[in-house]
Amino acid sequence: MADIIDGRAIARQLDEKTKAQVDELVAAGHSAPGLTVILVGEDPASEVYVRRKIKACEKVGIRSTEHRLPADTSQEDLLALIDQLNKDEDVHGILCQVPLPDHIDTRLVLRSISPEKDVDGFHPVNVGRLSTGTGGIVPCTPLGVMMLLKSVIPDLTGKDVVVIGKSNIVGKPVANLLLDAEATVTVTHIYTEGLPEICRQADVIVAAAGAPELVKGHWVKDGAVIIDVGITRKEGEDGKTKLVGDVKFDEVQHAKAVTPVPGGVGPMTIACLLANTVQAARNLMGYGDAERGDDYADAPDRSMHTTA
Amino acid sequence: MADIIDGRAIARQLDEKTKAQVDELVAAGHSAPGLTVILVGEDPASEVYVRRKIKACEKVGIRSTEHRLPADTSQEDLLALIDQLNKDEDVHGILCQVPLPDHIDTRLVLRSISPEKDVDGFHPVNVGRLSTGTGGIVPCTPLGVMMLLKSVIPDLTGKDVVVIGKSNIVGKPVANLLLDAEATVTVTHIYTEGLPEICRQADVIVAAAGAPELVKGHWVKDGAVIIDVGITRKEGEDGKTKLVGDVKFDEVQHAKAVTPVPGGVGPMTIACLLANTVQAARNLMGYGDAERGDDYADAPDRSMHTTA
């Protein structure tokens, strides 16, 4: 039987660490880290998500503020609010819940959030830093994926990892984090040919295709580790709906370890949001770690030797 | 015999297109696109590169300006110059030649260049846009690699591509461009195990390891396409030095096509710098293409369904 990677337990451990960091900042005389969540309109799913995020903040001692704006809020007003929050020293993280109403340019809005307070890690500056392995805020789900994976394989050096899905939200940032960890990374997607064979060679499969039960048992080699990012509601034979991932869970019991759905990647996402908020606060308070690595300091012109 | 991918000829074609775009802007009453190159200190190699870039500008009608600063220029003065160039409407591209003297923070300097004028494509905003497939300025060598590859395989959808090397300058941006082109991409590096076998499965190999003659004939399947980014000066048996790439050129004649060294990727790099300068000028003059694709507009909370 494959080991179950318990996302709920690992998320709880992360929350404890986050809470300890909050307590440390407060003990040092700082205000508690503050997260501001902006919700425009009344999308029911968004309301659920925002409520969960706010509630999770309380658990670890993060101050949360909610800005609920009517659906007809102008883009100008929303940008003005974000500008004000960017300047507010008591706000360390800003999260603008998507989707936004159609009359608002979502990309413009997300880019207007200061990269230092962008706890979702979606700002191009944070994406760029992730891509070059030079720090910045890492998006929550990819960060959670890496923590789960490292709980089973602490050193990923030289491991063959297949990432299924190349979304900007999960697939690509996970691939970048895996390369930083010195894994050999293959990114596959809807146009990939021979996906079963490619998966069968992998030490690790990160399934983030959003395709329910795509990965079958015979795609998985003995002893592989599987992180299942997918989550889809599906009607079972008994007529009841249940949540399934991108992996046919029952068929992969010859794997070394696998994340369940639910209870795997899901619980990590909010825990990582809280961790990101505290990281942002620490950086803004001057406790941040030095930026990692180099990016283009030595940009060589070597491929130009032949240009004459 | 493998076809030789003639980088010099393809670079010339690109230069012609670039020149036509310059002429078009001038005919429309604009000033010619302007590139400013900053050189700090007297590194002999840098002087050669800068001279080539300036000379290449002339060929296509780009106005070039050179700022030569003494090696003891303060960081403050350099940043002030860049600030002034960022604001100068006659300057469309800014290139600060690296390496910079040790007392200057290279990363800070490169990030101070406005992303719109960052013709090297090194600013985190441009790296982030490349990573999310949403436009921006693409670094010169990766752009050249893609052009050479597409000259042989116009549609890369579903092709298995192995990239050797995960540098921020070549490997990672090339991988992102390949994913945008719907290829299946494996990024390998110094810690990869079984590299010969991995390469042998590839339809395309992009060798950017900086390891002379790393890729042997038996690593390459019949009919593969090889782009060789490496370039190293090596002493031959006759005592004379010659330039070699990352691929053992004589052994890969069963490939479909291969770039030579020299005369492959090298000539593309400056041609792409000129093309980037004209692209930057067009964007700044309001002729730019709309930004491509979406990035995080639909950022889902779906993996959070299970967080309760």
Side-chain angles (χ1 to χ4, degrees):
Chain A
M1 288 285 289
D3 290 337
I4 303 297
I5 305 172
D6 187 345
R8 291 200 181 95
I10 296 171
R12 261 196 307 272
Q13 287 167 21
L14 178 57
D15 281 346
E16 279 166 26
K17 202 178 137 197
T18 301
K19 187 172 186 320
Q21 286 187 307
V22 171
D23 292 345
E24 200 179 287
L25 289 174
V26 173
H30 295 281
S31 63
L35 175 68
T36 295
V37 181
I38 303 170
L39 176 59
V40 184
E42 295 173 350
D43 180 76
S46 288
E47 293 197 2
V48 171
Y49 300 141
V50 167
R51 208 174 314 133
R52 280 186 193 158
K53 290 170 185 175
I54 298 283
K55 205 176 132 197
C57 283
E58 284 168 26
K59 263 196 322 201
V60 298
I62 291 175
R63 287 176 302 109
S64 65
T65 317
E66 201 179 332
H67 284 269
R68 301 189 64 132
L69 306 177
D72 62 354
T73 300
S74 72
Q75 178 171 299
E76 197 186 345
D77 285 351
L78 179 55
L79 290 174
L81 171 62
I82 290 173
D83 184 51
Q84 176 202 317
L85 295 169
N86 281 340
K87 290 172 184 156
D88 186 338
E89 286 193 7
D90 284 333
V91 173
H92 305 104
I94 303 170
L95 189 155
C96 187
Q97 184 68 39
V98 288
L100 291 167
D102 286 342
H103 66 282
I104 292 177
D105 180 345
T106 301
R107 184 184 305 177
L108 182 71
V109 168
L110 294 185
R111 285 191 189 165
S112 72
I113 296 171
S114 159
E116 285 73 28
K117 300 188 179 186
D118 165 41
V119 285
D120 264 338
F122 290 164
H123 193 286
V125 164
N126 284 317
V127 176
R129 287 188 191 168
L130 176 63
S131 178
T132 54
T134 52
I137 298 180
V138 177
C140 303
T141 300
L143 186 58
V145 165
M146 291 302 288
M147 287 180 179
L148 295 178
L149 187 47
K150 288 194 167 180
S151 76
V152 185
I153 309 178
D155 181 2
L156 288 161
T157 304
K159 298 291 178 194
D160 282 317
V161 184
V162 170
V163 177
I164 310 177
K166 63 177 175 90
S167 75
N168 290 329
I169 314 292
V170 184
K172 287 190 206 167
V174 165
N176 275 315
L177 292 168
L178 288 164
L179 283 176
D180 270 357
E182 312 296 3
T184 299
V185 182
T186 299
V187 182
T188 65
H189 45 77
I190 193 101
Y191 296 110
T192 294
E193 291 168 21
L195 185 56
E197 293 72 35
I198 293 174
C199 286
R200 209 142 48 216
Q201 299 176 35
D203 301 313
V204 175
I205 297 172
V206 178
E213 300 184 326
L214 172 71
V215 178
K216 311 293 186 283
H218 70 279
W219 295 26
V220 176
K221 81 171 175 189
D222 286 354
V225 173
I226 307 174
I227 308 292
D228 189 349
V229 188
I231 185 158
T232 310
R233 194 167 287 280
K234 186 188 158 184
E235 191 163 327
E237 284 168 21
D238 56 2
K240 289 184 187 164
T241 64
K242 61 169 187 168
L243 293 172
V244 297
D246 282 0
V247 178
K248 229 165 159 34
F249 188 80
D250 296 340
E251 293 185 4
V252 298
Q253 294 307 313
H254 57 295
K256 176 181 165 66
V258 57
T259 59
V261 176
V265 174
M268 294 301 291
T269 300
I270 283 190
C272 287
L273 172 66
L274 304 178
N276 278 353
T277 302
V278 174
Q279 186 203 323
R282 285 175 53 87
N283 289 345
L284 289 163
M285 291 170 182
Y287 293 92
D289 304 320
E291 201 170 338
R292 284 183 290 122
D294 61 356
D295 38 5
Y296 296 99
D298 309 308
D301 281 87
R302 62 189 179 84
S303 67
M304 288 170 37
H305 284 292
T306 59
T307 324
Chain B
M1 287 287 287
D3 290 337
I4 303 297
I5 304 172
D6 186 345
R8 292 201 181 95
I10 297 172
R12 261 197 308 272
Q13 287 166 23
L14 178 58
D15 281 347
E16 279 166 26
K17 204 179 133 194
T18 300
K19 186 172 188 320
Q21 286 188 309
V22 171
D23 292 345
E24 200 180 287
L25 289 173
V26 173
H30 295 283
S31 63
L35 174 68
T36 294
V37 181
I38 303 171
L39 176 58
V40 184
E42 295 173 352
D43 181 76
S46 289
E47 293 198 3
V48 171
Y49 301 141
V50 167
R51 209 173 313 135
R52 280 186 193 160
K53 290 170 186 174
I54 299 283
K55 204 176 133 199
C57 284
E58 283 169 27
K59 263 197 322 203
V60 298
I62 291 175
R63 288 177 300 110
S64 65
T65 317
E66 202 180 331
H67 284 269
R68 301 190 65 133
L69 306 177
D72 63 354
T73 300
S74 72
Q75 179 171 300
E76 198 186 344
D77 286 349
L78 180 55
L79 291 174
L81 170 62
I82 290 174
D83 184 51
Q84 176 203 318
L85 294 170
N86 282 339
K87 291 172 182 154
D88 186 338
E89 286 191 8
D90 283 334
V91 173
H92 305 105
I94 303 171
L95 189 156
C96 188
Q97 185 68 39
V98 289
L100 291 167
D102 286 343
H103 67 281
I104 292 178
D105 179 344
T106 301
R107 184 183 304 177
L108 182 71
V109 168
L110 294 185
R111 286 190 188 165
S112 73
I113 296 173
S114 159
E116 286 74 28
K117 300 187 177 185
D118 165 41
V119 286
D120 263 338
F122 291 164
H123 192 286
V125 164
N126 284 319
V127 177
R129 288 187 189 167
L130 176 63
S131 179
T132 54
T134 53
I137 298 180
V138 177
C140 303
T141 300
L143 186 57
V145 166
M146 291 302 288
M147 287 180 179
L148 294 178
L149 187 47
K150 288 194 167 181
S151 77
V152 185
I153 311 179
D155 181 3
L156 289 160
T157 305
K159 297 293 177 195
D160 282 319
V161 183
V162 170
V163 178
I164 310 177
K166 62 177 176 91
S167 75
N168 290 330
I169 313 291
V170 184
K172 287 191 205 166
V174 164
N176 276 315
L177 292 168
L178 289 164
L179 283 176
D180 270 358
E182 312 296 2
T184 300
V185 182
T186 300
V187 182
T188 65
H189 44 78
I190 193 101
Y191 295 110
T192 294
E193 291 169 22
L195 185 55
E197 292 72 34
I198 293 173
C199 287
R200 209 143 47 217
Q201 297 175 37
D203 301 314
V204 174
I205 298 172
V206 178
E213 300 184 325
L214 173 72
V215 178
K216 310 294 186 284
H218 69 279
W219 295 26
V220 176
K221 81 171 174 189
D222 285 354
V225 173
I226 307 174
I227 307 292
D228 189 348
V229 187
I231 184 157
T232 309
R233 193 167 289 279
K234 189 187 156 184
E235 189 161 331
E237 284 168 20
D238 56 3
K240 289 185 186 164
T241 65
K242 61 169 189 168
L243 294 171
V244 297
D246 282 1
V247 178
K248 229 165 159 32
F249 188 80
D250 295 341
E251 293 186 6
V252 298
Q253 294 306 313
H254 56 296
K256 176 182 165 63
V258 58
T259 59
V261 176
V265 174
M268 293 301 291
T269 298
I270 284 193
C272 287
L273 172 66
L274 304 178
N276 278 352
T277 301
V278 174
Q279 187 202 323
R282 285 174 54 86
N283 289 344
L284 290 163
M285 291 170 183
Y287 294 91
D289 304 321
E291 204 169 336
R292 283 182 292 122
D294 61 354
D295 38 6
Y296 295 98
D298 309 307
D301 281 88
R302 61 191 180 84
S303 67
M304 288 170 37
H305 284 291
T306 58
T307 325

